[in-house]
């Protein structure tokens, strides 16, 4: 039930944010045409903040429950040595040594 409410809140907040964006674009183009102050009015700023907070609440409700991560499950399938290997820490500095070697 909360997932459906979260989806509705998220959809409404995205519509609210889109409307705030269109209002901001319209105000800036009007300000350029009339050489008025280009700062956004307070109602557009409030609309953005309400849309942002509502979208955060909607995403949290829509996401549902998180699953628990247990290391015992991974260790029963794989060894600890395999889990510790990360390819992002491999050294690749040796790859151009023969090409760029200055003798």
């Amino acid at each position: 039930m909360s997932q459906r409410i979260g989806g509705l809140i998220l959809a409404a907040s995205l519509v609210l944010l889109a409307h705030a964006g269109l209002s901001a674009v319209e105000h800036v183009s009007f300000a350029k045409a009339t050489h008025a102050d280009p700062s956004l009015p307070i109602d557009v700023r409030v609309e953005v903040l309400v849309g942002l907070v509502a979208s955060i609440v909607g995403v949290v409700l829509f996401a549902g429950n998180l699953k628990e991560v247990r290391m015992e499950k991974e260790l029963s399938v794989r060894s600890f040595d395999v889990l510790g290997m990360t390819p992002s820490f491999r050294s690749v500095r040796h790859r151009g040594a023969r090409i760029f070697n200055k003798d």
Side-chain angles (χ1 to χ4, degrees), residues 46-82:
V46 169
E47 190 174 4
V48 168
L49 289 176
V50 169
L52 180 67
V53 170
S55 65
I56 291 171
V57 170
V59 165
V60 168
L61 289 176
F62 187 71
N65 296 332
L66 299 175
K67 294 181 181 178
E68 187 176 348
V69 177
R70 294 195 177 242
M71 195 65 176
E72 293 87 21
K73 285 185 179 180
E74 289 295 323
L75 285 176
S76 67
V77 178
R78 303 178 192 169
S79 69
F80 187 73
D81 295 330
V82 173

Side-chain angles (χ1 to χ4, degrees), residues 5-100:
I5 293 171
L8 291 173
I9 292 173
L10 183 60
S13 67
L14 291 177
V15 168
L16 192 66
L17 285 172
H19 181 265
L22 289 174
S23 297
V25 168
E26 184 178 333
H27 176 74
V28 169
S29 65
F30 174 75
K32 284 182 182 179
T34 60
H35 301 292
D37 184 27
S39 64
L40 291 177
I42 192 70
D43 62 336
V44 175
R45 293 179 189 179
V46 169
E47 190 174 4
V48 168
L49 289 176
V50 169
L52 180 67
V53 170
S55 65
I56 291 171
V57 170
V59 165
V60 168
L61 289 176
F62 187 71
N65 296 332
L66 299 175
K67 294 181 181 178
E68 187 176 348
V69 177
R70 294 195 177 242
M71 195 65 176
E72 293 87 21
K73 285 185 179 180
E74 289 295 323
L75 285 176
S76 67
V77 178
R78 303 178 192 169
S79 69
F80 187 73
D81 295 330
V82 173
L83 290 175
M85 291 176 44
T86 55
S88 61
F89 293 114
R90 289 187 186 160
S91 175
V92 292
R93 298 181 76 187
H94 66 282
R95 293 192 175 197
R98 292 188 182 174
I99 297 171
F100 301 112

